[in-house]
Amino acid sequence: MASGKMSRAEALECSGCSQACHVMLYSDTKSQLFGKTPIKHIVLMQMRFDGLLGFPGGMVKPSEETLEAGLSRELLEEIGIALPISVEDHVESCFAPASLPSFSSSRLILHFYVKKIEEELIREVEKAAASTASDHGLEVLGMVRVPLYTYRREAGLSYFLSHSFIGNARSQLVRSLLRLHLVAPDKLHEALAHALQMHARSAKDLQAALTYTEAQKRDF
Ligand code: APR
Ligand code: MG
């Protein structure tokens, strides 16, 4: 398929493909930022070992486990809790974007899941991810909540969206926020427009840092 999308069943027919599963965990919340800005929902992502933002999950072995069992196993390693994931939580499967640095010679198929859990469990996940998870500080540098609100025009969602994401994780996030009605389409559109402006500012900032280290390198 041109978009690289396929059904879960079609994906499993590819015996020569590597397969990876990732999940967006989220909950509702009544919490308020600074006691006045409603947060409404908590969406979990992670800072990965490669410095990019992504969803928890990883490589699975369909010859030895179901996709969902493999994802739960990855969750135990990365967030410290083997959350059960079911076929009903599956959202989409597609080939990894060609731009992604290849981690093996076979083509990589990515399966994306979304699971709603209770806020209490989100807190347990955050605690376990930083204490008992075997990947903490190694493959996973920390769990992060996605700020879904807009604070003082640009802060919050737009700054978050301007960061760098693994593969198609940003579009997985954007599509999920729309599909689950976690952010209104006009707010999301505005946040993405601000995120793009932020990129231009970041480029200047990066250039300044580069110039600074250039001078340091010369004097070393
Ligand atoms: N979109 C596209 N590709 C993604 C996404 C995403 N949202 N999330 C992860 N990937 C890619 C990664 O780049 C990687 O190639 O999927 C593959 C597996 O995902 P990981 O979560 O990185 O796999 P994990 O099993 O947790 O880690 C195992 O994989 O990334 C390599 O060498 C790295 O040691 C690591 C190994
Ligand atoms: Mg992983």
Side-chain angles (χ1 to χ4, degrees):
M1 240 178 270
S3 65
K5 286 213 176 137
M6 64 191 84
S7 71
R8 184 183 172 284
E10 280 170 334
L12 286 171
E13 277 168 23
C14 182
S15 53
C17 294
S18 305
Q19 315 251 353
C21 297
H22 295 88
V23 62
M24 183 181 108
L25 299 171
Y26 76 103
S27 78
D28 294 334
T29 180
K30 292 197 164 53
S31 305
Q32 296 193 328
L33 175 68
F34 308 131
K36 57 176 190 253
T37 302
I39 288 171
K40 294 187 188 155
H41 314 283
I42 301 170
V43 171
L44 288 185
M45 292 193 77
Q46 62 179 208
M47 177 54 75
R48 296 162 44 92
F49 69 95
D50 50 18
L52 297 171
L53 290 164
F55 291 103
M59 304 301 299
V60 299
K61 307 173 203 105
S63 58
E64 298 171 19
E65 58 192 355
T66 63
L67 294 176
E68 294 72 27
L71 177 51
S72 289
R73 175 185 50 71
E74 279 290 330
L75 291 180
L76 178 62
E77 291 168 16
E78 295 191 354
I79 64 175
I81 299 177
L83 277 182
I85 304 291
S86 72
V87 178
E88 287 72 49
D89 302 318
H90 175 261
V91 174
E92 61 182 24
S93 301
C94 65
F95 279 114
S99 56
L100 201 70
S102 152
F103 130 91
S104 78
S105 54
S106 57
R107 283 209 80 180
L108 174 63
I109 295 178
L110 297 159
H111 303 274
F112 184 59
Y113 295 75
V114 167
K115 188 176 171 74
K116 187 171 187 183
I117 57 179
E118 293 300 317
E119 182 176 4
E120 189 52 35
L121 188 50
I122 291 268
R123 291 181 196 281
E124 278 178 40
V125 165
E126 289 172 323
K127 272 189 210 139
S131 51
T132 55
S134 58
D135 282 351
H136 179 63
L138 301 167
E139 287 184 33
V140 182
L141 304 181
M143 299 303 295
V144 293
R145 293 183 180 199
V146 181
L148 299 181
Y149 47 82
T150 296
Y151 188 78
R152 291 194 178 141
R153 215 172 99 81
E154 289 190 347
L157 185 57
S158 57
Y159 287 166
F160 186 87
L161 289 170
S162 76
H163 293 309
S164 296
F165 293 76
I166 180 79
N168 55 3
R170 178 168 26 217
S171 65
Q172 287 170 338
L173 172 66
V174 164
R175 286 201 301 272
S176 301
L177 296 182
L178 286 178
R179 196 173 58 82
L180 300 164
H181 307 289
L182 301 184
V183 178
D186 59 330
K187 297 270 182 242
L188 191 53
H189 183 77
E190 202 181 356
L192 282 164
H194 280 142
L196 209 54
Q197 288 169 7
M198 189 65 195
H199 255 285
R201 273 179 257 159
S202 288
K204 282 192 197 152
D205 195 44
L206 274 173
Q207 187 58 58
L210 192 68
T211 308
Y212 176 75
T213 51
E214 192 61 47
Q216 297 287 314
K217 205 167 64 138
R218 264 199 315 270
D219 300 343
F220 188 63

